[in-house]
């Protein structure tokens, strides 16, 4: 019932920028209060990137992206945007949008996931 659709991935050189977007649809639409992003590079564990809470607007970031990435609400009722600046090769990964009810860095707290979008940063 719940669909999360990501867009905005691509290939950039180190120091460049990308903007990822995620839109949600489905019946649980109104009760999902947290949306965010995780990423997974080849051969590595899935890593928390950022999340935003609709009630209070609070944001949470992974340590590796603080000061470079910014998550915000999009124009749709349930949509998020993540601006990624100063991208580095270590940011290369598949980025997946996630939705849930608890703003947490643990992926187990998110029940709905998109298909993912590839971000590649060349050195």
């Amino acid at each position: 019932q719940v669909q999360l659709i990501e867009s905005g991935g691509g290939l950039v050189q180190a120091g460049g920028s990308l903007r990822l977007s995620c839109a949600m649809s489905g019946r649980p639409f109104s009760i999902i209060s947290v949306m965010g992003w995780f990423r997974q590079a080849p051969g590595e564990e899935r890593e928390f990137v950022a999340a935003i809470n609709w009630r209070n607007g609070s944001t949470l970031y992974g340590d590796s992206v603080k000061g470079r990435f910014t998550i915000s609400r999009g124009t749709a009722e349930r949509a998020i945007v993540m601006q990624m600046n100063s991208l580095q090769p270590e940011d290369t990964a598949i980025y997946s949008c996630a939705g849930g009810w608890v703003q947490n860095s643990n992926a187990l707290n998110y029940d709905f996931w998109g298909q993912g979008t590839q971000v590649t940063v060349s050195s």
Side-chain angles (χ1 to χ4, degrees):
Q1 287 184 307
V2 174
Q3 301 280 338
L4 299 176
I5 302 175
E6 306 104 326
S7 62
L11 172 65
V12 298
Q13 292 184 325
S17 299
L18 286 173
R19 177 175 290 184
L20 302 184
S21 299
C22 177
M24 178 190 298
S25 63
R27 288 191 176 273
F29 179 89
S30 62
I31 64 174
I32 295 176
S33 59
V34 177
M35 293 181 67
W37 295 91
F38 289 77
R39 67 186 183 185
Q40 187 168 24
E44 298 184 10
E45 299 287 336
R46 182 166 52 186
E47 178 187 20
F48 172 75
V49 179
I52 186 167
N53 186 296
W54 259 256
R55 291 188 61 185
N56 54 28
S58 66
T59 56
L60 182 68
Y61 295 94
D63 290 339
S64 64
V65 305
K66 289 180 179 178
R68 299 189 297 121
F69 293 8
T70 303
I71 190 169
S72 60
R73 290 193 288 180
T75 57
E77 190 168 356
R78 285 294 188 275
I80 56 172
V81 175
M82 185 168 68
Q83 179 69 38
M84 304 186 295
N85 297 327
S86 301
L87 286 164
Q88 300 299 314
E90 50 265 40
D91 296 315
T92 296
I94 296 176
Y95 286 70
S96 298
C97 182
W101 296 268
V102 179
Q103 190 175 35
N104 194 282
S105 61
N106 190 338
L108 295 176
N109 295 123
Y110 297 82
D111 292 335
F112 307 98
W113 295 83
Q115 296 299 307
T117 184
Q118 178 71 49
V119 171
T120 302
V121 185
S122 61
S123 59

